[in-house]
Amino acid sequence: KLLKNKMTKKVLALTLGLTMVLSMAGCGGGKDESSAGNTVQTDNSGGMDDAEKKEETGGSGEKTKLIGMCWGSTETYTKLSNAILEQNPELGEKYEVEWVLGGEGDGDVAEKIRLALSANEYIADITVLNYTQVPEFAEAGVLNDVSFAIAPYESQLTEAALNLTKYKDSTIAVPFEVKSKVWYYRQDIFDECEVDVSAIKNTDDFIAAGKKIQEKYPDSYMWNLGQTAAAYSYYMTISGNGASFCDGEGNYNISQDAGVRAMLEDYKKMVDAGIIMDVSDWTTDWESALADGSLVSQLGAGWLGQDSFLPTYAAGQEGKWSCTTWPEIGGTVAGSDAGGSVMVVPAFSKNPEAAAEFISYMCLSEQGSISCYDITACLPINKAAQENELLKNKVENGFFGMSIIEAQLKALNDLKVFNYTPKAAAEQDIVTEYFTKAVYGQETIDDALKKCENDLSTMLGNAYQ
């Protein structure tokens, strides 16, 4: 059921917003490119009666306008929404959809939600987040229940996708992209150097393969992990090996966590072996290394295979790249990048039922899921869409061939989500700095984790309070 108690929502929203603004302001990096002209005042009701809806849409017979907020670029979401409205006349007659930019990253969108809740403002009906941020807003009770809209598709979804719809006992998110772990590698170079990817089972094998390739290509590397590494580079491993930053009561104990330590030990071993390039993601050096063959493989997530990423950076190398699942690193093959991205309907939405209906069809139906693949190259969430012959034919002729679908489907069986707390955004900023210091030997692992634990405790107090 939708949240209906206006006063409860206002109190929750204001409490959340003020707390987060004071303790977590600036957690999401990136330039703010959203348009202030898209923000209007409203009560924070999360729902409207018929008279209000008529007034908002200009009277009966007019379409309901839904505003969505995303990060990075609105182009993909706009194309996708337009395709959905065209393919489904019933939805097309009822809704029009506009996307606005919340910033460069998911943290920017989360910060805008906090501020809007604190100020009791309407900014969008739909917001895109990574699952990383879901616990924060779900715990505060400011996400509308979307179970009624998901229900028609529930039997068609993968278990991994279903897990992303929930936080504890609440169904408050529509999965958009399941971000399973995928290993991308230069099939041509591996074959030339007689490196059998299927024989690479663990960290030591991964290092040995890198060393063998370097005998022929001395300036090549198996992965990049720059000294301004993206947090997901670490979380993709600790999400799968049972790591946690705190105990069940919210007390930070990262210095004693076996999973975090196992990840750092293996990452440092790879850096010390010389097979890791000291270049960070989202830099021109990274893109150049993929283009010129300096990076002969990349441990990443499914999104890296989307047309705008690796196939663009390595343009002209079609048929040279293949995909498989990760070897065991940090004691696990399992994990994910934030579980995946999701769409939520915040408490300030003017049209929460309409928003839930639209995003559920777009992301979860067979036709919607196929459209998502056509436009984003995201692995379809709907199981029938995954088996669609037209989709298979298209993938076979793509940059990676069927290997990218096969790797992602296999990785779904091992998809795990990190134990994110309501303070996950602030935790991420703190731990990433110390992880990088440990991996590059600027601190011992013991010292880095002790200092990290102290900062978490001093700056955040308790993970759940």
Side-chain angles (χ1 to χ4, degrees):
K1 294 181 180 179
L2 294 169
L3 296 173
K4 294 181 179 179
N5 188 316
K6 297 184 180 182
M7 291 305 297
T8 299
K9 283 184 175 182
K10 289 181 180 179
V11 172
L12 287 168
L14 289 169
T15 300
L16 171 71
L18 290 172
T19 300
M20 293 304 170
V21 168
L22 291 172
S23 66
M24 299 170 63
C27 289
K31 180 181 177 182
D32 181 357
E33 298 177 15
S34 65
S35 171
N38 292 314
T39 302
V40 297
Q41 298 289 332
T42 183
D43 75 5
N44 194 27
S45 65
M48 305 174 71
D49 59 28
D50 290 340
E52 286 175 308
K53 288 183 179 179
K54 283 186 178 181
E55 180 179 354
E56 179 62 29
T57 59
S60 60
E62 292 192 19
K63 296 180 181 181
T64 298
K65 184 172 184 178
L66 300 174
I67 302 293
M69 178 176 284
C70 61
W71 72 81
S73 170
T74 61
E75 181 180 2
T76 294
Y77 295 95
T78 299
K79 285 182 180 178
L80 181 56
S81 294
N82 290 342
I84 295 301
L85 295 174
E86 289 175 9
Q87 78 179 223
N88 189 316
E90 181 180 349
L91 293 179
E93 290 174 2
K94 295 191 325 187
Y95 307 131
E96 60 176 300
V97 183
E98 178 186 349
W99 288 91
V100 297
L101 196 63
E104 292 185 351
D106 55 333
D108 300 316
V109 175
E111 183 65 8
K112 283 188 168 51
I113 295 175
R114 296 181 196 115
L115 294 172
L117 289 166
S118 179
N120 199 23
E121 288 183 337
Y122 164 79
I123 57 172
D125 300 289
I126 303 156
T127 55
V128 184
L129 295 171
N130 271 322
Y131 192 82
T132 311
Q133 293 98 12
V134 167
E136 172 188 337
F137 298 112
E139 284 281 358
V142 294
L143 299 180
N144 279 297
D145 186 292
V146 294
S147 56
F148 75 95
I150 291 176
Y153 312 107
E154 194 166 350
S155 64
Q156 305 169 42
L157 306 182
T158 62
E159 183 178 354
L162 283 172
N163 288 339
L164 295 179
T165 68
K166 296 183 178 297
Y167 178 74
K168 295 183 177 178
D169 295 327
S170 300
T171 303
I172 37 69
V174 175
F176 174 62
E177 178 187 358
V178 178
K179 297 181 180 179
S180 54
K181 291 163 62 173
V182 176
W183 178 18
Y184 304 85
Y185 66 99
R186 283 286 298 268
Q187 177 78 61
D188 58 334
I189 292 176
F190 275 52
D191 288 346
E192 181 184 352
C193 296
E194 298 182 342
V195 173
D196 179 5
V197 72
S198 67
I200 301 174
K201 302 295 186 183
N202 53 40
T203 304
D204 289 338
D205 295 338
F206 189 75
I207 292 172
K211 290 291 191 182
K212 187 171 184 179
I213 292 172
Q214 285 177 339
E215 291 176 3
K216 189 172 185 64
Y217 297 100
D219 297 324
S220 67
Y221 299 89
M222 292 288 280
W223 192 23
N224 66 291
L225 190 70
Q227 296 192 47
T228 54
Y232 57 73
S233 298
Y234 300 113
Y235 279 75
M236 283 189 289
T237 293
I238 59 175
S239 59
N241 69 6
S244 181
F245 301 157
C246 62
D247 62 23
E249 302 300 317
N251 302 304
Y252 289 108
N253 59 358
I254 192 172
S255 66
Q256 305 301 314
D257 189 84
V260 170
R261 185 174 296 274
M263 177 273 293
L264 293 176
E265 287 174 348
D266 272 10
Y267 279 31
K268 187 175 190 306
K269 183 188 293 186
M270 291 188 290
V271 168
D272 290 347
I275 64 158
I276 303 298
M277 178 179 278
D278 184 5
V279 165
S280 298
D281 291 3
W282 314 114
T283 62
T284 55
D285 287 342
W286 177 53
E287 295 176 17
S288 297
L290 291 168
D292 66 20
S294 300
L295 275 173
V296 297
S297 85
Q298 185 82 7
L299 295 172
W303 55 260
L304 185 59
Q306 295 174 21
D307 292 342
S308 57
F309 297 123
L310 202 156
T312 295
Y313 306 151
Q317 298 177 19
E318 295 86 349
K320 296 182 178 181
W321 286 87
S322 289
C323 306
T324 187
T325 52
W326 278 43
E328 181 181 302
I329 293 175
T332 186
V333 299
S336 66
D337 172 13
S341 62
V342 298
M343 296 189 183
V344 297
V345 182
F348 47 61
S349 173
K350 290 182 178 180
N351 301 287
E353 292 182 350
E357 178 188 32
F358 177 75
I359 59 177
S360 292
Y361 178 86
M362 180 172 70
C363 299
L364 309 182
S365 70
E366 180 177 359
Q367 287 304 312
S369 199
I370 290 174
S371 293
C372 283
Y373 179 81
D374 285 340
I375 293 171
T376 70
C378 296
L379 177 71
I381 286 172
N382 183 287
K383 289 185 286 188
Q386 292 175 359
E387 299 170 359
N388 185 283
E389 288 301 320
L390 291 176
L391 182 143
K392 288 184 177 180
N393 291 336
K394 181 174 181 177
V395 175
E396 285 176 352
N397 297 313
F399 191 89
F400 304 98
M402 281 298 292
S403 70
I404 189 166
I405 293 292
E406 292 166 352
Q408 290 187 79
L409 288 175
K410 186 177 179 182
L412 284 181
N413 297 323
D414 293 312
L415 190 135
K416 293 185 182 298
V417 182
F418 185 70
N419 181 31
Y420 295 110
T421 75
K423 295 183 180 177
E427 291 169 354
Q428 183 171 282
D429 286 350
I430 295 170
V431 302
T432 301
E433 177 184 354
Y434 284 106
F435 288 172
T436 302
K437 287 181 178 180
V439 166
Y440 275 94
Q442 297 165 6
E443 302 265 7
T444 66
I445 292 176
D446 280 339
D447 287 347
L449 290 180
K450 287 176 183 176
K451 291 178 181 179
C452 182
E453 183 176 303
N454 180 70
D455 281 2
L456 288 169
S457 301
T458 301
M459 298 170 67
L460 304 183
N462 184 285
Y464 295 105
Q465 295 175 3

